[in-house]
Amino acid sequence: MEPVPSTVPRRHPVATFFALSVGAAWALWLPLVVLQDRMPARTGFVLALLGSLMPSTVAVLLVARLHGRHEVRRLLRRLLMGRVGIGWYVAIVALAGLAVFAVWVSTLLGAPAPVVIVTIPGLVISFLFSIFPGSAVGEELGWRGFALPRLQARRSALAASLVVGAVWGTYHFPLFLLGAPNRPFALFLPFALSCVIMSVFYTWMYNGTGGSLLIAVLLHATTNLPLTIVYQPLGERVLPAYWVYDALLALAAAVLIARTGAATLSRTHAKQVATP
């Protein structure tokens, strides 16, 4: 490997990762914001997709530069860690179900109900696309594979989760400036808040499984499904359901923190940490 250049600071790898990931994604998404309807649909799709790959791309490049190819292979092997307890897979489905439950609760409170039209093949295709080339693999090597274990080396699991979640939510900001009816600007605040809260569950699963990125990827893709299939049909009327979703997530996260402790967010494993 070539010597590490001074432009890649070893003492601040997480800050470097955050800056490069968000900066690269925003640079790709900025033309979508500026041109909007004047952007050709195919070009817009490619730019949106490339932006969703930036966190993992930057993470792999930084690991290679800072630690060498053997560490890249070690990072990628975490995507194959599927031999974990069945309870983790059940928890993934339960968290996706919580999003659907939130919509039902919001309708009881007088919010509009979505008109959901989905087929089993469509559901499977959406799920697989969300894994790759969509955002699940495209982001999780970065957020949970690179940033989280390095932050946990010096912070509690809860504090590390909140930092990752705040950047994760901010990273999506340009997508809420596109004027799309299924992603109104007013949705950004509750969406960003959900990222912060959901990060607690990601850390719980990552630490509890000994660092499985496969579980993180499956959680990402599975929880994307109700947001795409159930929430998007609500369009600009989605806010009541999303605020209920945030409230239920916060309640569940509070219970989880009380049971596992903020230090590790795990009752069975130590924090998963990485060297700078």
Side-chain angles (χ1 to χ4, degrees):
M1 293 295 295
E2 297 178 359
V4 177
S6 59
T7 54
V8 183
R10 283 181 173 273
R11 295 181 62 183
H12 304 287
V14 177
T16 301
F17 163 73
F18 284 153
L20 291 177
S21 297
V22 174
W26 284 21
L28 288 164
W29 291 337
L30 183 59
L32 303 178
V33 176
V34 173
L35 297 177
Q36 297 202 10
D37 293 340
R38 292 170 290 165
M39 171 72 70
R42 183 174 298 180
T43 303
F45 174 78
V46 171
L47 289 176
L49 184 61
L50 289 176
S52 72
L53 301 177
M54 286 302 102
S56 291
T57 301
V58 170
V60 169
L61 292 175
L62 282 178
V63 170
R65 294 295 255 174
L66 295 172
H67 304 293
R69 295 177 183 176
H70 67 285
E71 285 297 325
V72 173
R73 290 192 291 269
R74 184 178 177 184
L75 175 65
L76 294 177
R77 281 197 295 268
R78 291 184 178 273
L79 289 172
L80 304 177
M81 292 176 60
R83 298 184 66 179
V84 298
I86 188 67
W88 296 112
Y89 295 97
V90 173
I92 289 172
V93 175
L95 283 168
L98 187 65
V100 178
F101 180 68
V103 175
W104 178 72
V105 171
S106 71
T107 61
L108 294 181
L109 298 175
V115 178
V116 178
I117 302 175
V118 64
T119 63
I120 297 300
L123 192 69
V124 172
I125 291 171
S126 179
F127 176 71
L128 294 177
F129 185 87
S130 184
I131 291 177
F132 189 81
S135 59
V137 171
E139 293 183 24
E140 290 308 324
L141 285 169
W143 307 132
R144 257 55 68 167
F146 186 90
L148 178 62
R150 285 166 175 80
L151 287 171
Q152 287 193 129
R154 296 186 178 183
R155 294 172 174 81
S156 70
L158 177 58
S161 303
L162 299 180
V163 172
V164 173
V167 178
W168 183 28
T170 303
Y171 152 85
H172 292 89
F173 179 69
L175 300 178
F176 292 83
L177 300 175
L178 301 180
N182 59 1
R183 196 183 279 127
F185 179 73
L187 180 60
F188 174 70
L189 180 58
F191 172 82
L193 181 59
S194 73
C195 288
V196 174
I197 303 169
M198 273 298 298
S199 283
V200 174
F201 295 99
Y202 277 90
T203 302
W204 168 57
M205 291 190 176
Y206 186 77
N207 287 344
T209 58
S212 171
L213 283 177
L214 175 62
I215 291 298
V217 165
L218 292 178
L219 176 61
H220 195 132
T222 305
T223 51
N224 271 353
L225 281 180
L227 301 184
T228 301
I229 295 170
V230 181
Y231 283 64
Q232 284 193 2
L234 287 169
E236 297 182 354
R237 303 176 300 166
V238 72
L239 288 177
Y242 221 105
W243 280 117
V244 171
Y245 178 45
D246 280 351
L248 294 177
L249 275 180
L251 179 61
V255 172
L256 176 65
I257 294 166
R259 288 180 57 85
T260 61
T264 63
L265 290 178
S266 174
R267 301 176 70 182
T268 57
H269 288 74
K271 291 186 297 182
Q272 296 297 304
V273 301
T275 57

